[in-house]
Amino acid sequence: MNELHRFPLSVVTGGAGALGSAISRRFARGGDTVILLDNNAEAVQTVARQLSEETGAQVHGWVVDISDDESIRLAVKRIDEEFGRLDRLVNNAAVNPRARLGDVDDTEWDTAMAVNLRGPMSLCRSAIPIWTRTGTGRIVNITSRTWLSGGPTAYVTSKAGVVGLTRSLAVELGPLGVTANAVAPSMVVTPFTKGGRTDEEFALFVDKHTRMSPLGRLATADDIVDAVEFLASDKARFVSGEVLHVCGGAQLAAAP
């Protein structure tokens, strides 16, 4: 048996980003073999190398376009051929077109649906033969508190769809021994959330979101990672179809 097959295999999409790399780091520190999937070739390979050196774990960076079914199919085929298992799948990759309803164009809409919603579905669909054979798996989908509050039309619609997908996965894949849950974070300061905003705009954005939480602060990457780690662990072995809001109570507030 290949030595790598002795360790749990975790796959994280959007693995080169701030949140994806934080999730991957936690799994690697726990001894997992980790595969980062990302469409940024240079970034995903750099992050994988850094995490491998930092943790001593086997961390791989693969270039995959989450919006493309064939790219996903080939990645899962490679996972099956090289590792024969998929213990934890974190669907984290996302895009966030911020246009309001009157301004959103079809390309922005279609891209959001392809990356944020169809991509996770396609990954899970492609992995069914692996889970059928192994009889175990944990899916954690990253959604957003905005699925409750509303917000940018394409982004929020796709993230609300992720909640429906999560519940459907829990029902359909449960008989295979697979659980499916979602983590719905509030705003975290990352390049993803700042993208396209000036420093002044972002400062106002951060202030609004800070005041939304009864706990009076923003979520951190570690807050999100703790929730993902729990749902991906055996401690959550009988938890499926749930949405865990990591918002400090901000899920109770309207959109700022």
Side-chain angles (χ1 to χ4, degrees):
M1 177 184 292
N2 187 312
E3 186 70 13
L4 293 179
H5 294 187
R6 297 178 53 239
F7 301 99
L9 181 71
S10 293
V11 173
V12 181
T13 71
L19 185 55
S21 61
I23 294 167
S24 300
R25 178 180 291 104
R26 183 71 61 85
F27 287 152
R29 284 177 174 170
D32 290 13
T33 297
V34 184
I35 300 174
L36 285 61
L37 305 183
D38 204 286
N39 65 352
N40 186 324
E42 182 179 357
V44 75
Q45 290 162 8
T46 297
V47 171
R49 183 173 62 252
Q50 290 172 343
L51 293 182
S52 184
E53 292 172 353
E54 176 186 330
T55 65
Q58 293 288 332
V59 182
H60 308 273
W62 293 1
V63 181
V64 174
D65 181 356
I66 297 301
S67 70
D68 183 79
D69 289 344
E70 181 65 7
S71 184
I72 288 173
R73 187 190 69 79
L74 292 173
V76 175
K77 181 174 183 289
R78 183 179 174 188
I79 288 168
D80 197 10
E81 290 174 349
E82 296 188 16
F83 300 94
R85 62 194 299 169
L86 177 48
D87 300 287
R88 293 185 257 274
L89 170 61
V90 181
N91 288 304
N92 165 72
V95 295
N96 183 5
R98 300 197 184 103
R100 297 173 65 86
L101 178 60
D103 300 317
V104 67
D105 63 39
D106 289 347
T107 298
E108 289 176 319
W109 178 272
D110 291 345
T111 299
M113 298 305 154
V115 175
N116 299 356
L117 183 55
R118 195 182 72 222
M121 179 281 297
S122 184
L123 266 167
C124 293
R125 180 176 60 191
S126 296
I128 288 175
I130 299 176
W131 289 325
T132 299
R133 187 178 65 248
T134 62
T136 185
R138 300 280 185 269
I139 301 165
V140 182
N141 296 322
I142 305 299
T143 180
S144 167
R145 67 164 292 279
T146 61
W147 83 276
L148 288 173
S149 69
T153 306
Y155 178 74
V156 173
T157 302
S158 67
K159 288 300 189 178
V162 168
V163 173
L165 173 64
T166 300
R167 291 172 171 167
S168 296
L169 293 172
V171 172
E172 288 204 33
L173 300 181
L176 302 182
V178 177
T179 64
N181 294 285
V183 171
S186 55
M187 188 259 183
V188 181
V189 175
T190 67
F192 178 81
T193 54
K194 185 178 180 182
R197 293 185 171 97
T198 66
D199 289 345
E200 182 179 0
E201 289 171 340
F202 193 58
L204 291 172
F205 186 71
V206 168
D207 180 64
K208 288 179 180 179
H209 280 80
T210 302
R211 289 187 281 109
M212 282 171 56
S213 170
L215 297 183
R217 70 169 177 86
L218 297 179
T220 68
D222 279 345
D223 292 327
I224 312 309
V225 173
D226 285 344
V228 171
E229 183 181 36
F230 167 68
L231 291 173
S233 75
D234 284 342
K235 291 181 179 179
R237 61 188 174 275
F238 205 58
V239 179
S240 197
E242 292 296 330
V243 181
L244 179 54
H245 292 89
V246 186
C247 307
Q251 75 273 19
L252 306 174

